[in-house]
Amino acid sequence: MIHMKDVSKIYENGAVALDHVNIDIDKGEFVFIVGASGAGKSTFIKLLLREALPTEGSLTVNGRNVVAMERQEVPYLRRGLGVIFQDYRLLPEKTVFENIAFAMQVIEAPRRMMQRSVNSVLDIVGLREKYKCFPSQLSGGEQQRVAIARAIVNRPAIVIADEPTGNLDPETSWDIMDIFTRINSAGTTIVMATHDKTIVDTMQKRVIAIEDGRIVRDEQRGGYGYED
Ligand SMILES: Nc1ncnc2c1ncn2[C@@H]1O[C@H](COP(=O)(O)OP(=O)(O)O)[C@@H](O)[C@H]1O
Ligand SMILES: [Mg+2]
């Protein structure tokens, strides 16, 4: 699914965000990317989405060569990826239903199929009754559940989340993790950057730890490993 070989990312100001990183992630895995603030987690995620290019090294995502990719191919890469951010990034002028349907319109789905798919992902995140609400009428946890529904509506092979529980209280964070667990059980690969020690220690999934742009640990069924 994801093959990263000898990848480095040096920003224009000279910041070394990733330093010769090698990572392979297979279909169906659930992987936490952990590390302190500034370690390189978001840069790793930006490379997967081709929001940034590596300075050196090779990277394939879903069988596509992200480094050599033409600009026109980028939307096809992104259609295979569901992305979730700490700050939800919903469209404030659109309802819950429209926010999710909008993600489908981009791929020109027929209207009836669109309605069925939106209802089905709203059921998965437990928000069917809120479909007419605007984001401002929802709690943070509910907004993040809408963002997850939007991320999975096109049935992506990989869900990529950058600190998705970063703005949520512990109980709400667990609602989010329960949804990720269910999505992963259905076969979707999950890559989640986080510095939530309790979540990582409790979930016992694969843990890749980054420090100053370097992979310092890669363990199956790991824990967070250290205090922040
Ligand atoms: N757009 C950018 N331009 C310059 N430096 C950046 C940029 N984005 C991130 N960095 C630097 O790269 C390093 C890794 O940042 P980041 O990937 O955001 O880490 P994390 O998500 O783990 O907090 C930090 O030193 C940060 O300051
Ligand atoms: Mg970050």
Side-chain angles (χ1 to χ4, degrees):
M1 290 262 95
I2 295 169
H3 302 289
M4 190 174 268
K5 192 158 185 294
D6 260 330
V7 162
S8 296
K9 175 65 183 177
I10 304 168
Y11 286 106
E12 277 166 20
N13 64 359
V16 181
L18 293 176
D19 188 1
H20 295 93
V21 168
N22 291 285
I23 292 178
D24 287 293
I25 295 174
D26 291 330
K27 181 165 171 43
E29 283 200 79
F30 194 133
V31 183
F32 287 117
I33 309 294
V34 307
S37 180
K41 303 181 298 296
S42 293
T43 299
F44 172 75
I45 282 177
K46 284 182 186 147
L47 296 182
L48 302 182
L49 305 172
R50 208 189 188 267
E51 284 182 16
L53 275 169
T55 311
E56 58 176 302
S58 62
L59 171 62
T60 64
V61 175
N62 258 348
R64 294 175 191 272
N65 181 337
V66 172
V67 181
M69 186 175 286
E70 302 281 345
R71 187 181 294 269
Q72 307 91 283
E73 208 187 328
V74 173
Y76 296 94
L77 167 77
R78 293 190 183 151
R79 270 171 217 179
L81 307 173
V83 192
I84 297 147
F85 298 98
Q86 177 171 356
D87 55 0
Y88 327 132
R89 302 199 189 175
L90 301 175
L91 299 167
E93 307 297 326
K94 292 190 184 294
T95 64
V96 165
F97 187 94
E98 289 162 351
N99 263 280
I100 300 165
F102 189 73
M104 289 199 84
Q105 276 160 7
V106 177
I107 65 165
E108 291 167 355
R111 192 175 170 76
R112 282 191 53 210
M113 181 184 134
M114 190 167 89
Q115 273 194 347
R116 217 177 314 134
S117 299
V118 174
N119 287 336
S120 136
V121 291
L122 280 174
D123 282 341
I124 290 171
V125 301
L127 283 179
R128 182 99 169 227
E129 73 285 7
K130 303 262 180 173
Y131 75 102
K132 278 186 180 166
C133 291
F134 288 92
S136 60
Q137 298 172 308
L138 302 176
S139 69
E142 287 169 337
Q143 290 185 61
Q144 193 61 298
R145 280 149 63 193
V146 175
I148 295 172
R150 177 181 59 183
I152 62 175
V153 74
N154 294 319
R155 301 178 170 275
I158 310 175
V159 165
I160 296 169
D162 193 356
E163 311 233 20
T165 62
N167 288 346
L168 303 176
D169 60 64
E171 196 185 323
T172 312
S173 297
W174 280 113
D175 294 341
I176 300 298
M177 296 318 299
D178 287 344
I179 296 168
F180 282 160
T181 300
R182 273 187 280 133
I183 296 168
N184 178 243
S185 302
T188 307
T189 307
I190 310 255
V191 178
M192 170 171 160
T194 184
H195 58 248
D196 190 322
K197 180 173 161 50
T198 309
I199 285 178
V200 174
D201 285 342
T202 308
M203 298 274 296
Q204 293 288 299
K205 300 293 188 187
R206 179 175 170 192
V207 176
I208 297 173
I210 310 185
E211 269 175 35
D212 293 332
R214 296 203 188 135
I215 306 297
V216 293
R217 192 158 51 89
D218 183 350
E219 285 178 345
Q220 301 295 332
R221 305 172 64 77
Y224 194 91
Y226 39 60
E227 306 294 325
D228 271 323

